């Protein structure tokens, strides 16, 4: 009786299975909480898959190798973003981030290439387009990194919760240190999403203006409607893609 172990405060709560504040959230739960609504998730998935299919079709039709690679990278980015909405393949998250980072670097190289390289971005408009696509790839990589940071369980929380034997106070402090570090890192993530939200929101408005302007100029001369059709479709998909990026970053910023 003199050596009888006293109950540890908080141990009863752990045995009953109640969720404590230090418990990590399940890996299947998405950081983008608003996309738990099925209607929004399916709508954005349809937009991303439509854009990815368009770029895949353009890649099959392209005769130049650079255009084919660019369209393949765009199709892959849309597929990865669609998978992000459903939190698919979380074990390959680092590989996805590496691929998107390499794609962003590829578009940066095209944007700053010398004019002698005709297969790369030509003219000021082409360089600006490649620079925007580089920022789009970098934004998708940043979004994946933020999502991976939020869904990764904090280290040291599981052993601290499953232990039922008394433990010294110093060991509790050591176990709580990694968790506090991970929580502090995740607290800074919403601030990183504000600037991409503004940027892609402005890009969506700009592409929408270009789409409306192209439609107005295409209806005046009848002979100009045919060659402008792919440009109008591209502007429309760019506007939808930028709007999706802005919406996804906006939900991470709140």
């Amino acid at each position: 009786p003199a050596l009888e172990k006293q109950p540890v405060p908080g141990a009863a709560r752990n045995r009953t299975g109640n969720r404590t504040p230090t418990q990590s959230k399940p890996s299947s739960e998405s950081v983008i909480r608003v996309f738990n609504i099925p209607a929004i998730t399916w709508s954005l998935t349809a937009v991303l898959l439509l854009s990815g299919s368009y770029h895949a079709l353009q890649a099959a039709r392209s005769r130049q190798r650079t255009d084919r690679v660019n369209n393949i990278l765009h199709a892959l980015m849309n597929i990865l973003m669609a998978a992000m909405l459903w939190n698919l393949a979380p074990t390959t998250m680092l590989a996805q981030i590496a691929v998107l980072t390499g794609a962003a670097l590829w578009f940066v190289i095209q944007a700053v290439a010398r004019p002698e390289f005709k297969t790369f971005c030509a003219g000021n408009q082409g360089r600006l387009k490649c620079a925007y696509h580089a920022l789009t790839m970098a934004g998708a990589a940043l979004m994946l990194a933020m999502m991976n940071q939020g869904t990764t369980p904090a280290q040291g929380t599981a052993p601290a919760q499953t232990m039922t034997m008394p433990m010294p106070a110093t060991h509790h402090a050591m176990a709580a240190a990694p968790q506090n570090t991970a929580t502090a890192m995740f607290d800074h993530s919403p601030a990183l999403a504000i600037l991409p939200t503004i940027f892609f929101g402005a890009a969506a408005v700009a592409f929408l203006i270009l789409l409306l302007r192209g439609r107005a100029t295409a209806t005046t001369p009848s002979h100009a409607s045919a060659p402008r059709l792919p440009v109008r479709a591209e502007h429309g998909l760019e506007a939808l893609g930028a709007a999706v990026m802005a919406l996804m970053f906006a939900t991470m910023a709140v």
Side-chain angles (χ1 to χ4, degrees):
L3 299 178
E4 183 178 1
K5 298 179 181 179
Q6 299 295 329
V8 181
R13 291 193 301 269
N14 293 332
R15 293 192 188 97
T16 56
N18 293 334
R19 184 183 179 93
T20 59
T22 58
Q23 187 174 356
S24 60
K25 65 181 179 179
S27 59
S28 59
E29 182 180 352
S30 176
V31 177
I32 314 177
R33 298 179 181 87
V34 73
F35 295 145
N36 292 330
I37 303 176
I40 299 179
T41 305
W42 280 108
S43 299
L44 295 179
T45 303
V47 171
L48 292 171
L49 292 181
L50 176 63
S51 180
S53 301
Y54 173 80
H55 286 292
L57 182 61
Q58 292 298 317
R61 293 179 177 179
S62 298
R63 296 181 179 180
Q64 294 184 358
R65 183 176 302 177
T66 304
D67 293 339
R68 187 179 299 112
V69 172
N70 292 343
N71 283 290
I72 290 175
L73 291 176
H74 279 293
L76 181 60
M77 185 199 71
N78 283 277
I79 292 175
L80 292 181
M81 290 183 63
M84 185 194 312
L85 294 175
W86 299 93
N87 199 16
L88 300 177
T91 57
T92 62
M93 194 74 68
L94 294 179
Q96 298 176 29
I97 295 174
V99 170
L100 291 174
T101 304
L105 181 60
W106 166 250
F107 281 105
V108 169
I109 293 175
Q110 294 185 74
V112 300
R114 297 174 65 90
E116 289 80 7
F117 297 95
K118 301 298 183 181
T119 57
F120 289 165
C121 303
N124 294 331
Q125 185 176 359
R127 292 179 183 274
L128 183 62
K129 180 180 177 181
C130 284
Y132 171 75
H133 289 163
L135 292 175
T136 303
M137 296 292 175
L142 176 62
M143 192 181 302
L144 279 171
M146 293 173 61
M147 185 176 180
N148 186 30
Q149 187 179 5
T151 55
T152 302
Q155 297 179 356
T157 55
Q161 292 167 5
T162 55
M163 280 291 189
T164 57
M165 297 297 293
M167 300 175 64
T170 56
H171 190 79
H172 281 287
M174 293 174 61
Q179 175 191 352
N180 295 335
T181 303
T183 305
M185 291 175 62
F186 181 66
D187 289 340
H188 292 284
S189 295
L192 297 176
I194 297 177
L195 186 59
T197 301
I198 299 174
F199 172 77
F200 287 108
V205 174
F207 282 115
L208 183 60
I209 293 175
L210 291 176
L211 175 63
L212 296 178
R213 180 186 300 178
R215 180 176 299 178
T217 55
T219 53
T220 49
S222 59
H223 63 278
S225 58
R228 286 182 176 270
L229 182 59
V231 178
R232 290 170 53 190
E234 183 178 357
H235 287 164
L237 289 176
E238 292 283 7
L240 285 176
V244 170
M245 293 283 290
L247 179 60
M248 294 175 73
F249 272 115
T251 55
M252 288 185 173
V254 294

